[in-house]
Amino acid sequence: MNTLRTFAVTSLLLAASVDVAFAATTPGQPTQKGTAGEFLVVGDSVVSSQQLFLGAENMVYVVDKVENNPAQINGHPAYASAFDLDSNTARPMDIITNAFCAGGNVMGDGTWLNVGGNQAVTYGGLQAESQNGGGPYDDPDGRNSLRTLKPCSDDKCDWEIVGDMTTQRWYPTVETLPDGTLIILGGCQNGGYVNDRYQDNPTYEFFPSKGAPVHSNILATTLPVNLYPLTWLLPSGKILVQSNYDTVLLDHETGDEKPLDKMPDAVRTYPASAGTIMLPLTPANNFTATVLFCGGTNLQSEQWVTSWPIVEYGASTSCQKISPDVSPSYTPDDPLPVARSMANFIFMPDGKIFCVNGAETGTAGYGNDTWAIGQSYADKPVLLPTIYDPEAAAGKRWSSAGLKASTIPRMYHSSATLLPDGSILVSGSNPNADYNVGEGIAYPTEYRTEKFFPSYYNERRPEPQGIPDSIAYGGDAFEITLDKEDLFGDVKKVESAKVVIIRTGFSTHSMNMGQRYVELESTYYGYQSNTTAVLHVNQLPPNPSVLAPGPALLFVIVNGVPSVGVQIMVGNGKVGEQETKEYASLPSSNIFGSSGSSGNSNNDSEDGNPDAAISLSHKLMATYILLLVSLVQFGL
Ligand SMILES: *[C@@H]1O[C@H](CO)[C@@H](O)[C@H](O)[C@H]1NC(C)=O
Ligand SMILES: *[C@@H]1O[C@H](CO)[C@@H](O)[C@H](O)[C@H]1NC(C)=O
Ligand SMILES: *[C@@H]1O[C@H](CO)[C@@H](O)[C@H](O)[C@H]1NC(C)=O
Ligand SMILES: *[C@@H]1O[C@H](CO)[C@@H](O)[C@H](O)[C@H]1NC(C)=O
Ligand SMILES: [Cu+2]
């Protein structure tokens, strides 16, 4: 019995700040060796990577369902681990209760929450006799559990149970709110391939708790495929919720749900499990959110609840996107080159999207049906990744040019995340009720963990100086300096420089909850005489709904080559309302000492004196106009 394992002390959570160093550092070069365009098996995750997230610059945390993993901790199999990116080794961790198909996300102070899960189980994933621990797996019921982790760069941090939710949630989604608290949406009580009305939990609640769960109409009306609803906090402060064929804008403060258009072509929620992502929020698109959905499965509700050889049914190639703060309608985008269920969409620092994992037929889920492949409900794993370029012309956005396939099928219960060095960690796959390895098993429990190395991986990385340890919502701009090597020996390369913040998110079930890419506004001064440059970089817009507070990675990209990412804190590092300030205006870009005009630089500064340049600049007026527009647009 382990009844004392559960502490109902939510207040503990807010007491201490997170023990990760957020230092103003100059990033160096990657230490991992790899070949551009290829995967490399780098290590063993020790437990199967059903869920994972980058918690510290050098540490990925892995969460598995309860099963018979050979690695032991505290006298029972381990169901979690920490994968050290420097040594590529994992240490088993104790996550205490059964986090099977849990949700997760990060708070404004850097604390990660892992929430919900399944009842206690024994061999074969069958229900355990005791729900309080004991038995072979010693895994108390996790359906209400609120588990937190304050990540660390060593082995000194662990999961703890900080209390219970008011209701049971298996397959919940978690979204970070503008004050750094969390909203927890949906789920069911007992699990299964799809949901049903006897166990549905069509509500949302908050962490820290704001009381009883709130009923959600879209969750109540989109059975049976309303598990792990697809959600994004929008710059308007509303939350986009997509479930089965329905879409709404949720106002989480009033409970109002405004219906948007029906999702065309396919179901995107689990177990259809499309690849989904909010495209980059940039100054060029005025930080307007567009969400992309690709793949999934074209089935009607009644087709999910009868047993038929779904494993042979082709997945969808359809891509659709929506800009919910602007229009209620979906518009088609370039289809996937290969149909996929269970694709993971992962941001690369250059703003392109890496699409990895998944299967050409079938869906997520597993069972002992005669038609399953082993227990897998999916087949024809897609091994060749493909990349989506949001900047490319329509018809040309997808490409697998220069990419080599993986050799490891990664389907149900696989996951992926961007790493600071710009590689992508890919792990998991386990369409099995329990740990299942050995000869003749088509899709075993997979521990092998790969890194994928994008085209830029072995380029000399920029080593920008002046990266701050936190980014605010408006206020003074800051400067980042680039030297000759960072500019590839050519001052004009500064024209391509951008500064971006990426939240890598909580990866599970083809979702990366909270994943987001925001480009900061920046201008430059380039100096021809000594081939150096200064970037003038704005803080985030004065609106925490553009990027909720909490830790994220900052990258500087020059000539398409990203620096190694530095972990910074977005906001004040605390849970609570965030201060917003006026958005600064930046001096116009200029290359001093150049003989011809370049880019959008002006031509009145042959003396290389930036101050003279500003005072003379015809663009000064434009800057003031920009400032005015900014003030208006953020309602100041
Ligand atoms: C499915 O079969 C496996 C292997 O025989 C077994 O361990 C498991 O308990 C079965 N699951 C169910 C739900 O019957
Ligand atoms: C490069 O030259 C500019 C213009 O003279 C000067 O302001 C800047 O400090 C120089 N940078 C370095 C790193 O020497
Ligand atoms: C750039 O500066 C030179 C020298 O002052 C001047 O002769 C030329 O007209 C300028 N060109 C533009 C496009 O302003
Ligand atoms: C930019 O977005 C804001 C709201 O997010 C809006 O008020 C403003 O009109 C937009 N500006 C432009 C130029 O589209
Ligand atoms: Cu699952």
Side-chain angles (χ1 to χ4, degrees), residues 43 70 407 422 474 535 595 603-604 614:
T407 56
L535 301 178
S595 38
N603 176 31
D604 46 10
I614 305 178

Side-chain angles (χ1 to χ4, degrees), residues 481-556:
T481 57
L482 299 167
D483 69 13
K484 187 171 180 175
E485 267 192 292
D486 302 333
L487 295 165
F488 299 84
D490 176 3
V491 72
K492 280 197 170 187
K493 292 281 194 269
V494 73
E495 292 166 8
S496 69
K498 54 183 185 174
V499 181
V500 309
I501 302 181
I502 300 180
R503 180 155 297 146
T504 49
F506 178 91
S507 182
T508 192
H509 291 79
S510 313
M511 315 165 69
N512 282 62
M513 298 178 192
Q515 181 176 215
R516 198 171 288 216
Y517 182 109
V518 183
E519 181 187 336
L520 299 178
E521 187 192 19
S522 65
T523 60
Y524 55 81
Y525 281 171
Y527 300 105
Q528 190 88 285
S529 55
N530 52 16
T531 322
T532 66
V534 176
L535 301 178
H536 313 280
V537 189
N538 232 327
Q539 309 284 333
L540 282 161
N543 172 9
S545 296
V546 168
L547 182 65
L553 296 177
L554 186 148
F555 295 88
V556 177

Side-chain angles (χ1 to χ4, degrees), residues 43-375:
D44 177 323
S45 52
V46 172
V47 302
S48 189
S49 303
Q50 181 185 101
Q51 305 152 40
L52 61 72
F53 59 91
L54 180 76
E57 284 177 359
N58 66 333
M59 205 66 73
V60 168
Y61 294 91
V62 177
V63 177
D64 195 359
K65 71 182 192 293
V66 166
E67 59 189 313
N68 206 5
N69 293 311
Q72 301 284 306
I73 184 126
N74 297 334
H76 61 80
Y79 317 122
S81 69
F83 189 91
D84 185 320
L85 297 166
D86 297 327
S87 63
N88 290 320
T89 58
R91 87 176 148 105
M93 294 177 81
D94 199 347
I95 195 158
I96 309 167
T97 60
N98 191 354
F100 186 5
C101 303
N105 216 322
V106 68
M107 304 187 72
D109 67 350
T111 302
W112 285 82
L113 179 74
N114 179 280
V115 64
N118 185 19
Q119 57 202 312
V121 298
T122 182
Y123 300 121
L126 302 175
Q127 192 179 334
E129 259 176 59
S130 164
Q131 287 300 307
N132 300 318
Y137 293 168
D138 190 16
D139 60 320
D141 186 345
R143 287 175 290 179
N144 297 76
S145 290
L146 294 160
R147 313 168 190 88
T148 61
L149 175 73
K150 296 173 192 300
C152 56
S153 42
D154 52 25
D155 58 1
K156 302 283 190 293
C157 50
D158 283 296
W159 288 101
E160 56 179 320
I161 306 282
V162 294
D164 283 337
M165 278 184 294
T166 59
T167 52
Q168 298 174 333
R169 296 182 192 274
W170 197 355
Y171 305 93
T173 299
V174 186
E175 190 71 22
T176 310
L177 296 173
D179 63 357
T181 64
L182 303 172
I183 181 170
I184 307 163
L185 306 98
C188 63
Q189 289 164 31
N190 303 305
Y193 178 50
V194 292
N195 203 355
D196 61 67
R197 67 193 172 96
Y198 302 105
Q199 60 156 338
D200 191 17
N201 188 348
T203 69
Y204 53 88
E205 59 189 283
F206 299 90
F207 183 74
S209 179
K210 294 182 187 167
V214 182
H215 180 82
S216 163
N217 187 59
I218 184 174
L219 296 179
T221 56
T222 51
L223 286 169
V225 280
N226 65 352
L227 297 173
Y228 279 136
L230 300 167
T231 71
W232 289 268
L233 173 69
L234 298 167
S236 63
K238 302 283 198 300
I239 298 174
L240 180 73
V241 182
Q242 205 289 311
S243 178
N244 203 347
Y245 287 105
D246 287 356
T247 313
V248 299
L249 277 183
L250 168 68
D251 183 329
H252 71 270
E253 284 169 347
T254 64
D256 182 60
E257 293 181 12
K258 180 182 169 216
L260 305 182
D261 289 359
K262 292 268 183 201
M263 171 63 77
D265 303 337
V267 176
R268 316 293 178 164
T269 34
Y270 164 89
S273 296
T276 63
I277 199 163
M278 180 187 282
L279 298 179
L281 297 167
T282 67
N285 65 26
N286 190 23
F287 303 100
T288 304
T290 298
V291 181
L292 178 68
F293 304 78
C294 291
T297 308
N298 177 6
L299 291 182
Q300 298 307 311
S301 293
E302 58 281 5
Q303 295 175 288
W304 294 101
V305 296
T306 49
S307 178
W308 59 283
I310 207 165
V311 70
E312 295 166 13
Y313 188 73
S316 171
T317 58
S318 152
C319 288
Q320 291 281 342
K321 60 187 176 189
I322 188 168
S323 304
D325 283 337
V326 177
S327 159
S329 303
Y330 286 94
T331 53
D333 202 342
D334 293 3
L336 288 169
V338 176
R340 275 196 216 227
S341 167
M342 296 176 283
N344 270 95
F345 279 3
I346 305 296
F347 268 126
M348 301 193 292
D350 59 8
K352 294 181 185 153
I353 295 160
F354 186 65
C355 169
V356 67
N357 299 347
E360 222 178 315
T361 66
T363 66
Y366 56 74
N368 284 340
D369 308 70
T370 51
W371 46 258
I373 311 293
Q375 296 179 41

